[in-house]
Amino acid sequence: MTDRTYYAPTGGAPKQTQLLSDRAVFTEAYAVIPKGVMMDIVTSCLPFWDKTRVWILSRPLSGFAESFAQYIVELEPKGGSDKPEPDPDAEAGIFVVEGNIVITLDGKDHAMRAGSYAFLPPKSLWTVRNKSEAPARFHWIRKSFEYVNGLDVPEAFFKHESEVEPVAMPDTDGKWATTRFVDPSDLRHDMHVNIVTFEPGAIIPFAETHVMEHGLYVLEGKAVYRLNQDWVEVEAGDYMWLRAFCPQACYAGGPGKFRYLLYKDVNRHVKLKL
């Protein structure tokens, strides 16, 4: 399989002549953060990270989506961290969209390029570096792991999307398929990070309404997405953040594939007490 191209932000600053109107929206049910929002002025730095800046796309908010945080991390050459995660109970999903990084886990190096995914369980001893001469950019999804008595904590793994066979949704002739980095039947995992692919003209033919929260980052293409009662246009580089039970559907606009990186929380009982 030929390596794909994934959209990655590069920052910059808007011109004074630019119109203020944009597609950014935040409602009680969903948020849309267009790629044009990801400028220099909205980046953050992190403790113990060198030559690094991040766009924080989502974070737990009371009354909204509460299960996860999602960053886009940009590493300059030689940038990275020897103490990346301050929370020992946090698990991580890392997906590279541009460049090359090396994650060192328990003393072993793992080279990752665009399209590579890593799962890092809680209490992992890991570091990350950009050892190349060009910038690298990756998504970092952080979630507080939900331990279950009698279930082991899942082990770390590293995969490239080309190593995972997409699974077509039933009755779609392969026009709607999901690349699953984790076996859905593996109940040790309390989150899934998938890549969803639609051929031009393919649709989600009903308004999905479910308990899972979502982060959706558009890797490629464009579509019209239904969020709650609204239809919004999205394209490569846009991010959608959905709280539980927000109705959702989409229509892939073409002319190429519409693909997005999808986070969802799974496989755990609902908490009855806050």
Side-chain angles (χ1 to χ4, degrees), residues 191-234:
M191 74 171 186
H192 288 169
V193 178
N194 303 327
I195 296 175
V196 181
T197 301
F198 292 91
E199 298 290 341
I203 64 171
I204 297 176
F206 69 106
E208 294 185 31
T209 308
H210 52 63
V211 71
M212 287 86 79
E213 297 177 348
H214 279 334
L216 297 89
Y217 178 83
V218 183
L219 298 167
E220 182 181 344
K222 64 180 181 179
V224 181
Y225 225 95
R226 163 121 181 233
L227 300 170
N228 204 8
Q229 296 178 327
D230 307 319
W231 286 94
V232 298
E233 289 186 292
V234 293

Side-chain angles (χ1 to χ4, degrees), residues 68 70 213-217 239-242 261-263:
F68 74 110
Q70 186 162 346
E213 297 177 348
H214 279 334
L216 297 89
Y217 178 83
Y239 181 74
M240 291 170 278
W241 183 17
L242 282 60
L261 187 72
L262 173 70
Y263 160 87

Side-chain angles (χ1 to χ4, degrees), residues 4-12 23 33-39 55 57 70-74 95-99 114-115 136-139 161 195 216-222 234-239 257-261:
R4 305 193 67 91
T5 299
Y6 312 90
Y7 189 92
T10 57
R23 294 175 293 113
I33 303 177
K35 65 180 181 181
V37 173
M38 298 178 205
M39 297 290 184
W55 287 272
L57 303 178
Q70 186 162 346
Y71 306 167
I72 298 177
V73 181
E74 179 183 82
F95 183 79
V96 182
V97 288
E98 187 174 65
R137 298 176 178 94
F138 60 90
H139 284 256
E161 78 145 305
I195 296 175
L216 297 89
Y217 178 83
V218 183
L219 298 167
E220 182 181 344
K222 64 180 181 179
V234 293
E235 63 179 344
D238 292 349
Y239 181 74
K257 296 178 187 289
F258 174 60
R259 309 182 79 231
Y260 56 81
L261 187 72

Side-chain angles (χ1 to χ4, degrees), residues 43-236:
T43 59
S44 296
C45 298
L46 297 174
F48 309 115
W49 286 74
D50 304 319
K51 298 181 179 180
T52 302
R53 64 177 182 172
V54 301
W55 287 272
I56 299 178
L57 303 178
S58 58
R59 49 154 289 186
L61 287 178
S62 180
F64 192 66
E66 300 181 343
S67 68
F68 74 110
Q70 186 162 346
Y71 306 167
I72 298 177
V73 181
E74 179 183 82
L75 298 184
E76 297 178 25
K78 315 308 177 187
S81 178
D82 295 328
K83 296 198 301 182
E85 177 54 72
D87 184 346
D89 290 322
E91 59 188 323
I94 291 177
F95 183 79
V96 182
V97 288
E98 187 174 65
N100 297 271
I101 63 173
V102 175
I103 292 180
T104 303
L105 176 66
D106 297 329
K108 182 178 179 180
D109 289 347
H110 300 268
M112 300 180 66
R113 69 186 194 277
S116 295
Y117 177 75
F119 170 75
L120 302 169
K123 299 181 173 58
S124 293
L125 299 176
W126 63 283
T127 65
V128 59
R129 287 286 164 187
N130 176 6
K131 298 183 179 182
S132 74
E133 298 302 320
R137 298 176 178 94
F138 60 90
H139 284 256
W140 180 14
I141 295 170
R142 302 174 61 225
K143 182 181 182 299
S144 183
F145 184 74
E146 296 184 54
Y147 299 91
V148 176
N149 188 26
L151 288 179
D152 293 333
V153 174
E155 65 276 357
F157 66 82
F158 298 80
K159 294 180 182 178
H160 191 272
E161 78 145 305
S162 62
E163 302 168 342
V164 183
E165 187 69 25
V167 177
M169 296 295 287
D171 302 319
T172 65
D173 295 324
K175 295 179 180 179
W176 172 12
T178 303
T179 301
R180 296 188 172 101
F181 292 108
V182 169
D183 183 346
S185 66
D186 187 347
L187 297 184
R188 297 176 303 164
H189 286 273
D190 67 352
M191 74 171 186
H192 288 169
V193 178
N194 303 327
I195 296 175
V196 181
T197 301
F198 292 91
E199 298 290 341
I203 64 171
I204 297 176
F206 69 106
E208 294 185 31
T209 308
H210 52 63
V211 71
M212 287 86 79
E213 297 177 348
H214 279 334
L216 297 89
Y217 178 83
V218 183
L219 298 167
E220 182 181 344
K222 64 180 181 179
V224 181
Y225 225 95
R226 163 121 181 233
L227 300 170
N228 204 8
Q229 296 178 327
D230 307 319
W231 286 94
V232 298
E233 289 186 292
V234 293
E235 63 179 344

